Structure formats: structure tokens, C-alpha cells
Amino acid sequence: MIVERFAFAGRTCVVTGAASGIGAALTLDLARRRAGLALVDRDAEGLERVAALARELGAQDVSTHVLDLSDGGDRLDLAAAVAERHGGADLLVNNAGVALSGTFEQVSMKDFDWLLEINLHAVIRTTKAFLPQLLSRPGAHVVNISSLFGLVAPPTQVAYVTSKYGVRGFSEALRHELAGRVGVTVVHPGGVRTNIATNARLSGPDLDGKQAAQNAEFTRKALTLPPEEAARQIVAAVRDRKPRLVITRVAKLADVLARVAPGRYWSIIQRQLDKRGM
């Protein structure tokens, strides 16, 4: 088991989904610690904006890589580019993710597969591509961002839940395989203030705008933790080599409830949500 703390200064950190949300906040936190950064996102403009801020904050070297993680690529080209520019990766943060609105009955398989490709398969492919580099770098580490919905499984989120439970299982098994060689942390954020809900893909018609309005309301009411605080906790978990991080009190309570009442937890949670008008 790797027990020494992860030292960020001078280490190369690869962050996917770096143009906004938790990914952007993580990037800037790592920049302050004088890490080298390889930033990945499909949003070229947002990526360059975050990269410029990272350079101002003291990042040792910053490269940007514009990629659409839904394309099914094996990411060997990304790994090769990082190796050529930075010499290899010491920390891989699989953060990029998307959401999909609709029940399983409503959601098309095309959209279901699109979400799985980004949220789960890209995590697996990117980790596989970078694994030789990570194994060659003493004290290397992987962070995979799951979700509160990798701990509990609400209705209307079947695709998202499937992906995030998959990330959880992949991370835990990988940690056991790589014990003593590469550290692995799986992160389960609760209500972090990002645009993932408002930007959720709508699978099927939303002619009256009701679903989009519900997503915006959910974002306003439930996603309240600043991404900078989530980033701070994630960086601390990597530093301390924690295998698992659950962010927010609500997520921690839900985690306990799911283990105590695995067959009834959602009915209990739903009653509380109804009381709060959510």
C-alpha cells in the first residue's frame, strides 16, 4: 500500500472535463500547488481560459487537449501527447461527465450509449491508455469522479446511475489490483454547483419546456456546494491517499441509509424530498 503523501509540485496532472465545474476548480487548485497540467475538454474556448488562469497561478507547464470523449477513441494519442510534452502522467483525474433527462422508458438507446461512453467507457479507456505511464512513475495516483448517484439510485436517472455505479466498481477493483503501485481514489460528490443538470441532454421532446425548467430548479435547490470546495476536498484526499471520498453531508447520509436500508432507502429519501418540494 502506498502510504506517503502525494506531492503536487512538479508532478504532471491530467484532468478531463477541465473547462468548467469541478474540473476547472481542480485545475486552478493544482496550479496553485505548482503542478504541471495536461487539460482535456471538448470546449476549446473554455479550456484556453482555464489554462491561462492556471499559468497565472503558477502551474509549471500547461498543455491543452481538445477532445470529445464521446467518440469512442482509445486515448492512446492523448497519452502519447502527454508523454511527449510532459514526460508522463503522475496523476490522472477522470472528471468529465454528462447527464441525461428522462425515464428508462423515454430514453433512447442512442442517448443511453452516448452517456455511457463519456461517463464510464472514457474513464476506462483513458485509465488504460495512461496506465503504463502511471506504473512507471513512483507514487502515481488515479482519481475517478463517480457521484452521489453512484451510492443511491433515484428514478429517472437510470443511465446516469448505471454509469456512476460502474465508475465506483471499476475504481474499487482497480485499487485492489494496483495496491502498492498506483493509488486510486473514487469520489462521490453530492450537490456541487455545476451546470451538469441544466446542460443535461433531453432524450425525447420537451415541447413545453417543463423538463428543462425542472432541471434548472433542481440545480438551484440541490446543487449548492461551490466547486472550489469540492476541489479542495479532492486534492486533500489525493494528498492523503484516501481510497474513497464522499462530498456533502447529504451524500454521506444517503450513503449510510443505503447500507442500513438497502431495500427501502429510496422511499425514505422520497418522503423527505416531497416535504421540501423537490
Side-chain angles (χ1 to χ4, degrees):
M1 182 177 181
I2 301 173
V3 293
E4 73 278 7
R5 286 189 166 194
F6 188 96
F8 296 93
R11 308 291 287 278
T12 298
C13 306
V14 181
V15 183
T16 70
S20 62
I22 293 175
L26 268 172
T27 294
L28 300 184
D29 195 309
L30 293 169
R32 293 184 186 95
R33 297 168 189 273
R34 302 194 177 281
L37 297 167
L39 307 179
V40 182
D41 206 290
R42 68 174 184 171
D43 177 4
E45 183 177 339
L47 199 60
E48 286 301 333
R49 182 170 58 251
V50 173
L53 288 172
R55 294 184 184 104
E56 290 177 8
L57 289 171
Q60 287 202 353
D61 186 18
V62 183
S63 64
T64 58
H65 308 266
V66 180
L67 289 175
D68 183 348
L69 294 178
S70 71
D71 67 9
D74 59 20
R75 305 307 155 212
L76 293 174
D77 53 347
L78 173 62
V82 170
E84 182 177 358
R85 171 68 178 267
H86 300 274
D90 298 288
L91 173 65
L92 170 63
V93 182
N94 287 304
N95 164 76
V98 293
L100 179 63
S101 292
T103 66
F104 183 58
E105 183 180 7
Q106 295 168 333
V107 166
S108 71
M109 284 309 304
K110 180 178 179 181
D111 285 343
F112 203 118
D113 289 341
W114 165 79
L115 180 142
L116 286 180
E117 186 60 51
I118 298 169
N119 287 9
L120 178 58
H121 296 157
V123 172
I124 297 168
R125 296 179 202 278
T126 306
T127 304
K128 184 72 169 178
F130 278 95
L131 188 57
Q133 295 179 31
L134 295 166
L135 287 169
S136 71
R137 313 275 279 194
H141 205 91
V142 176
V143 177
N144 292 329
I145 307 297
S146 178
S147 169
L148 165 60
F149 293 166
L151 301 170
V152 297
T156 75
Q157 294 292 328
V158 174
Y160 191 77
V161 165
T162 299
S163 69
K164 294 304 184 178
Y165 269 75
V167 169
R168 173 186 173 182
F170 170 69
S171 302
E172 292 183 3
L174 188 68
R175 182 192 314 124
H176 301 153
E177 281 194 10
L178 299 180
R181 297 186 292 166
V182 176
V184 179
T185 299
V186 62
V187 181
H188 297 278
V192 180
R193 191 173 62 228
T194 71
N195 292 324
I196 191 167
T198 51
N199 291 340
R201 176 178 288 193
L202 304 179
S203 191
D206 186 31
L207 301 179
D208 58 3
K210 183 178 179 181
Q211 186 63 62
Q214 287 176 345
N215 290 347
E217 184 68 2
F218 176 79
T219 298
R220 185 182 70 81
K221 287 186 174 182
L223 306 186
T224 58
L225 186 77
E228 293 78 13
E229 173 58 21
R232 185 194 68 78
Q233 293 187 36
I234 293 167
V235 168
V238 174
R239 180 196 64 205
D240 296 339
R241 305 289 188 176
K242 290 185 177 180
R244 185 173 185 264
L245 173 64
V246 181
I247 300 176
T248 75
R249 179 174 176 272
V250 168
K252 291 175 182 177
L253 289 172
D255 182 29
V256 172
L257 183 59
R259 283 182 278 145
V260 171
R264 297 186 300 111
Y265 72 81
W266 188 252
S267 62
I268 298 170
I269 292 173
Q270 188 63 65
R271 286 196 295 271
Q272 295 302 313
L273 293 174
D274 291 342
K275 288 179 181 179
R276 299 180 184 182
M278 297 176 67

